[in-house]
Amino acid sequence: MKIFLDTAHVDDVKKVVPLGIVAGVTTNPSLIAKSGRVFEDVLKELTTMVDGSISAEVMSPNAEGMIEEGEKLAEIAPQITIKVPMTWDGLQAVHHFSQKGIKTNVTLIFSVNQALIAARAGATYVSPFVGRLDDIGEEGIYLIEQVASLFRTHSLPTEIIAASIRHPMHVTQAALAGAHIATMPYSVVKTLVEHPLTAQGIAKFEADWNNRK
Ligand code: E4P
């Protein structure tokens, strides 16, 4: 399973890129608003830092508007992936983009049928939201398991991005459930790297080393 960063803060990306684990970045309108920066500026900067897919979400409610916005965003760089909401209009836009060779990420997926339809419309990626399903008492990881099984059974090439990842167990479970990618904030990446026993072990080795004869 590949690791994407779910952020519009370029400083977060800067911290993780040297580890060589960042295969892509996802942004969303809330993350862009939180960054306090101009959308296109953030995207341009991200394209200089990461080689892989960078998701940029369109905001128009209708297919024509999404297509216009998406085509402009796609001009920034070939790795820009147009993030489209799972709606009737969104699917029309995805179909259009797929015929033009523009990558898409269908976002706000909450059911297996939504994932199937998005894949059939030609989505490059689908993003089932694990944490938001957990928030309403459903099991987000079960959705990842089911979508992964469906895509395997029917040889669908669309990749699954496990999104709305809130903690390290989500990452482990998404990987075991068959997600191709998990997108997560910097705070979650930190929990994947650090472990109290590792820190304790280093401190002990250091103390013993300093007390050697
Ligand atoms: C995914 O592409 C979304 O940007 C993100 O994972 C949503 O996460 P949240 O539910 O924690 O806001």
Side-chain angles (χ1 to χ4, degrees):
M1 184 179 76
K2 286 175 275 185
I3 308 294
F4 280 15
L5 284 176
D6 194 29
T7 187
H9 280 286
V10 291
D11 284 348
D12 289 349
V13 181
K14 258 183 214 147
K15 282 183 242 168
V16 190
V17 159
L19 272 54
I21 62 167
V22 184
V25 178
T26 53
T27 66
N28 68 37
S30 308
L31 294 171
I32 294 287
K34 222 161 74 179
S35 79
R37 295 186 56 197
V38 174
F39 188 22
E40 290 77 4
D41 291 351
V42 174
L43 295 176
K44 278 181 199 150
E45 204 169 336
L46 289 173
T47 61
T48 65
M49 302 165 75
V50 174
D51 288 334
S53 161
I54 293 167
S55 284
E57 192 156 339
V58 290
M59 291 306 296
S60 302
N62 56 62
E64 296 71 30
M66 289 178 192
I67 289 168
E68 198 184 319
E69 271 182 67
E71 286 185 345
K72 259 193 215 129
L73 292 169
E75 278 170 15
I76 295 175
Q79 82 224 72
I80 296 289
T81 299
I82 308 306
K83 206 176 187 188
V84 175
M86 178 61 207
T87 61
W88 198 268
D89 281 82
L91 293 174
Q92 291 177 53
V94 166
H95 176 57
H96 169 90
F97 292 133
S98 78
Q99 289 186 319
K100 292 196 79 178
I102 295 172
K103 290 200 284 284
T104 52
N105 173 2
V106 179
T107 190
L108 294 163
I109 295 275
F110 292 100
S111 77
V112 179
N113 285 334
Q114 286 183 318
L116 170 64
I117 296 303
R120 287 296 182 206
T124 316
Y125 305 102
V126 288
S127 288
F129 275 39
V130 175
R132 291 194 197 185
L133 276 172
D134 288 0
D135 288 347
I136 59 158
E138 290 187 34
E139 207 178 329
I141 289 296
Y142 184 53
L143 174 60
I144 301 288
E145 247 175 69
Q146 287 186 307
V147 175
S149 159
L150 179 101
F151 284 9
R152 269 196 310 270
T153 303
H154 298 285
S155 305
L156 289 164
T158 303
E159 292 197 58
I160 303 163
I161 303 179
S164 190
I165 294 287
R166 304 272 174 79
H167 51 70
M169 279 311 292
H170 274 160
V171 180
T172 309
Q173 290 166 339
L176 293 173
H180 302 89
I181 297 151
T183 190
M184 64 199 79
Y186 171 68
S187 58
V188 172
V189 176
K190 263 173 77 81
T191 68
L192 305 184
V193 176
E194 294 162 12
H195 194 286
L197 289 179
T198 305
Q200 241 178 63
I202 291 169
K204 173 83 167 70
F205 285 150
E206 202 183 343
D208 291 347
W209 180 254
N210 291 336
N211 288 331
R212 74 190 184 284
K213 292 201 176 109

